[in-house]
């Protein structure tokens, strides 16, 4: 990130380094919160207004910040408002899951450049996938006429057990330590990785329903089931970064075998993968459903999108599946409510797209199994961020990390 700033040779190394730290804090703040006055920046960054003014002047000379005129005043002189120059820099967010890879590029104002780009590369224990993803990213940058030198950082969202301190993905790349460093060699850019569920909590905290909230749980109900935890306004990761493996709560007696090797995990009945399996098995056992027509009798093509479409068209079998999913998800949520007593639970992921069929059975299960004095304290909401949550959060998380680096 330091490459963005001009070096003032008249100052000592120590003074210049401290100034760079403060400049990065200003850029990060404007990226996350949008346009601000110098006094607002002063309060957040905890520097004097004259110092902020001096840094803003230099950032304007660096071609990164611009003055946007006068803002509203609560009394006295109207303050100057500052914002980031739109093409001052770019950040990249990448989501890799068991179905595909999504790449999005964001400009300095945290606005996506164009639309998300999809690549049929799935997460697998083959480090070579990152070479393919990097080549695809390079082609996107060429297409968008963006110089790679203007890309500050890449954020990568990954599934699996991730030890954040060691930078190891135990599930897919257990023998690679400092995964971010190895990815930097491939991408030729600083790279930061994060676990998908924790990253979604980060995204909701800064850009979604968890903004300005203190105690929030974010459920990622997608191909699997994960949990992001925000306690007292801070993301909680646990000792090694393995917190939030909510999907592997053993909740169903004599249930199906889970990918983790255990039976009856909650993930095996509420995830998108499980929903597709349940629909496929039901049709094979004689259930009549529009789902079969939507895939032209090719049952292996059934996925969550197909089942949501059928439910939206009034298919009773599809609706009944989501009703069961809501019940079991609600029963699992009861554990979370009574352990954490959160103010809000956000449900995101592909399954959340069927919220109209899920919310009633979720609430019914909560009413049935929870202590009402506790559960009445908790709101349940469905994320409004949709599929952009992953790349959006990955890019912002990476910028946050690089801007925090001393």
């Amino acid at each position: 990130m330091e490459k963005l700033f001009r070096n003032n040779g008249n100052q000592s190394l120590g003074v210049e380094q401290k100034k760079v730290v403060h400049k990065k804090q200003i850029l990060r703040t404007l990226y996350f919160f949008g346009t601000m006055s110098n006094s607002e920046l002063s309060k957040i960054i905890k520097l004097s207004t004259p110092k902020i003014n001096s840094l803003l002047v230099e950032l304007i000379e660096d071609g990164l910040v611009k003055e946007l005129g006068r803002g509203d005043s609560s009394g006295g002189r109207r303050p100057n408002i500052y914002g980031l120059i739109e093409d001052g820099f770019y950040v990249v967010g990448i989501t890799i899951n068991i179905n595909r890879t999504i790449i999005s590029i964001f400009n300095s104002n945290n606005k996506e450049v164009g639309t998300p780009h999809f690549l049929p590369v799935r997460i697998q224990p083959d480090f070579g996938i990152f070479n393919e993803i990097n080549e695809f990213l390079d082609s996107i940058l060429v297409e968008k006429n963006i110089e790679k030198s203007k890309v500050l950082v890449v954020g990568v969202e990954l599934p699996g057990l991730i030890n954040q301190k060691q930078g190891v993905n135990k599930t897919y790349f257990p023998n690679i330590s400092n995964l971010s460093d190895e990815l930097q060699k491939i991408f030729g850019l600083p790279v930061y990785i994060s676990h998908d569920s924790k990253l979604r909590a980060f995204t909701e905290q800064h850009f979604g329903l968890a903004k300005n909230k203190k105690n929030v749980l974010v459920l990622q109900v997608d191909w699997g089931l994960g949990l992001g935890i925000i306690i007292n306004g801070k993301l909680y990761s646990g000792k090694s970064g393995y917190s939030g493996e909510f999907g592997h709560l053993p909740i169903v007696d004599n249930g199906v075998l889970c990918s983790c090797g255990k039976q009856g995990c909650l993930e095996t009945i509420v995830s998108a993968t499980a929903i597709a399996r349940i629909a496929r098995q039901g049709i094979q056992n004689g259930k009549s459903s529009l789902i079969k027509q939507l895939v032209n009798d090719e049952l292996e093509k059934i996925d969550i999108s197909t089942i949501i479409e059928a439910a939206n068209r009034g298919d009773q079998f599809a609706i009944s599946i989501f009703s069961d999913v809501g019940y079991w998800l609600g029963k699992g949520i009861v554990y979370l409510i009574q352990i954490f007593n959160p103010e809000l639970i956000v449900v995101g992921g592909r399954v959340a797209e069927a919220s109209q069929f899920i919310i009633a059975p979720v609430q019914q299960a909560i009413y049935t199994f929870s202590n009402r004095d506790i559960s009445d304290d908790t709101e349940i909401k469905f994320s409004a961020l949709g599929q952009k949550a992953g790349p959006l959060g990955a890019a912002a998380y990476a910028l946050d990390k690089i801007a925090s680096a001393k």
Side-chain angles (χ1 to χ4, degrees), residues 5 21 32 35 43 66 95-96 126 134 165 197 201 227 264 271-272 303 326 353 356 403:
F5 312 126
V21 169
F32 275 84
T35 58
K43 290 176 184 176
K66 60 183 175 181
T95 290
I96 308 173
D126 175 8
N134 176 56
K165 293 178 181 177
S197 297
L227 172 67
S271 67
D303 63 13
E353 295 173 22
Q356 68 269 39

Side-chain angles (χ1 to χ4, degrees), residues 160-161 171 195 223-227 242 244-252 257-268 270-271:
L161 283 175
T171 306
H195 182 268
W223 60 271
L225 173 62
L227 172 67
Y242 301 149
E245 290 297 317
F246 179 55
H248 299 293
L249 184 72
I251 198 170
V252 185
L257 186 67
C258 181
S259 60
C260 72
K262 306 292 191 297
Q263 279 187 297
C265 291
L266 184 58
E267 183 174 294
T268 64
V270 304
S271 67

Side-chain angles (χ1 to χ4, degrees), residues 27 62 81 124 137 192 346-347:
L27 295 184
D62 293 334
I81 300 297
Q124 52 188 295
L137 171 60
Y192 291 92
V346 179
V347 182

Side-chain angles (χ1 to χ4, degrees), residues 29 34-46 49 52 79-82:
T29 303
T35 58
M36 282 189 173
S37 68
N38 48 6
S39 59
E40 289 172 325
L41 284 165
S42 176
K43 290 176 184 176
I44 292 174
I45 299 174
K46 301 188 179 348
T49 303
I52 290 291
N80 292 329
I81 300 297
Y82 298 89

Side-chain angles (χ1 to χ4, degrees), residues 188-334:
L189 294 164
V191 178
Y192 291 92
I193 65 165
S194 187
H195 182 268
D196 49 10
S197 297
K198 295 175 182 62
L199 197 60
R200 299 305 172 99
F202 177 90
T203 312
E204 292 291 343
Q205 184 180 36
H206 290 282
F207 309 113
L209 296 172
K211 197 169 186 177
N212 301 319
K213 303 284 187 183
K214 290 291 185 183
N215 297 288
V216 182
L217 302 177
V218 179
L219 288 176
Q220 175 67 4
V221 197
D222 213 291
W223 60 271
L225 173 62
L227 172 67
I229 304 167
I230 300 169
I231 298 177
N232 293 327
K234 295 183 179 180
L235 283 170
Y236 176 78
S237 296
K239 177 187 174 185
S240 303
Y242 301 149
S243 66
E245 290 297 317
F246 179 55
H248 299 293
L249 184 72
I251 198 170
V252 185
D253 291 335
N254 301 314
V256 302
L257 186 67
C258 181
S259 60
C260 72
K262 306 292 191 297
Q263 279 187 297
C265 291
L266 184 58
E267 183 174 294
T268 64
I269 46 173
V270 304
S271 67
T273 306
I275 291 168
R277 186 198 72 242
I278 291 166
R280 195 176 300 115
Q281 290 175 345
I283 293 171
Q284 287 172 339
N285 291 332
K287 290 284 187 182
S288 176
S289 174
L290 177 62
I291 296 171
K292 189 176 180 182
Q293 291 176 236
L294 292 174
V295 295
N296 295 317
D297 292 342
E298 297 179 67
L299 301 189
E300 70 279 1
K301 291 186 177 180
I302 293 174
D303 63 13
I304 186 69
S305 299
T306 314
I307 304 163
I308 290 174
E309 182 180 351
N312 285 330
R313 290 166 65 171
D315 184 78
Q316 291 302 300
F317 176 55
I319 292 171
S320 71
I321 292 174
F322 287 124
S323 181
D324 289 342
V325 166
Y327 168 83
W328 284 107
L329 185 60
K331 195 170 183 179
I333 286 173
V334 168

